[in-house]
Amino acid sequence: MLVEIIGVGKLKEKYLVDGINEYAKRLKPYIKFQIIEVPDEKAPDHLSDAEVKIVKDKEGERILAQIKPDAHVVALTLDGKLWSSEDLASELDKLGTYGTSHVVFVIGGSHGIADAVLRRAQQKLCFGRMTLPHQLMRLVLVEQVYRAVKINRGEPYHK
């Protein structure tokens, strides 16, 4: 199975990079895993709704350019479904067995995910109603992918 995380913006914080690298190393024996960073659109802090849409659309084009046609796309968005760790494990297991072995999780930029990317997604996932920095979400997601792999293998990490 190949699991990719596509995220907007370059991850700069060393503690986040180190954490992601640790989980990526732990995943290596089990699945192929990679993170793809697409550039964020430079914009001032205060934007009109129309300007926000332009920013999201440009970032969305960059995201869509990275997604292969056969990939199963899961967009992280506040209006997505809430899954438990076991739900994520089950979804990955089902996809690997009956669907596609290429899963792409998309984490948008600070303004969210473009409508075109949401339309491309087969599923929408929400990690809760709290707002988390999109950079931190990468670490949380890769840890949950690792946890899902361990659950599916019946190994004790997830306890």
Side-chain angles (χ1 to χ4, degrees):
M1 173 171 265
L2 169 60
V3 174
E4 294 176 322
I5 297 173
I6 299 177
V8 174
K10 178 128 180 82
L11 201 58
K12 299 176 191 113
E13 292 83 358
K14 184 179 179 341
Y15 70 97
L16 294 174
V17 172
D18 290 347
I20 289 168
N21 288 340
E22 176 60 29
Y23 285 109
K25 182 178 78 176
R26 292 182 189 189
L27 281 167
K28 216 172 211 168
Y30 307 114
I31 64 171
K32 293 178 184 171
F33 172 79
Q34 77 178 59
I35 291 188
I36 300 168
E37 294 179 333
V38 298
D40 55 346
E41 187 64 21
K42 303 300 178 213
D45 288 338
H46 302 289
L47 301 173
S48 69
D49 290 345
E51 291 169 322
V52 167
K53 183 180 181 327
I54 291 168
V55 167
K56 285 172 34 175
D57 288 347
K58 287 181 179 179
E59 292 173 349
E61 289 171 10
R62 294 177 191 137
I63 291 167
L64 290 171
Q66 296 298 321
I67 298 174
K68 306 280 188 294
D70 67 332
H72 182 90
V73 178
V74 181
L76 274 65
T77 179
L78 287 174
D79 65 344
K81 290 187 177 182
L82 291 169
W83 289 350
S84 66
S85 297
E86 291 80 9
D87 292 337
L88 176 60
S90 176
E91 288 294 324
L92 289 177
D93 188 53
K94 281 189 277 189
L95 286 168
T97 303
Y98 304 109
T100 177
S101 58
H102 183 183
V103 180
V104 175
F105 291 92
V106 175
I107 302 171
S110 58
H111 297 288
I113 299 177
D115 290 341
V117 176
L118 294 174
R119 285 191 300 272
R120 171 63 177 87
Q122 284 87 358
Q123 293 178 295
K124 294 179 191 174
L125 173 60
C126 178
F127 271 71
R129 298 191 45 90
M130 285 191 234
T131 302
L132 295 173
H134 56 279
Q135 299 93 343
L136 177 59
M137 198 60 235
R138 290 185 205 177
L139 176 57
V140 173
L141 178 57
V142 71
E143 188 279 334
Q144 285 296 302
V145 169
Y146 177 70
R147 184 179 298 270
V149 167
K150 298 297 268 186
I151 289 169
N152 286 339
R153 294 180 57 81
E155 296 178 6
Y157 172 78
H158 72 284
K159 296 289 181 196

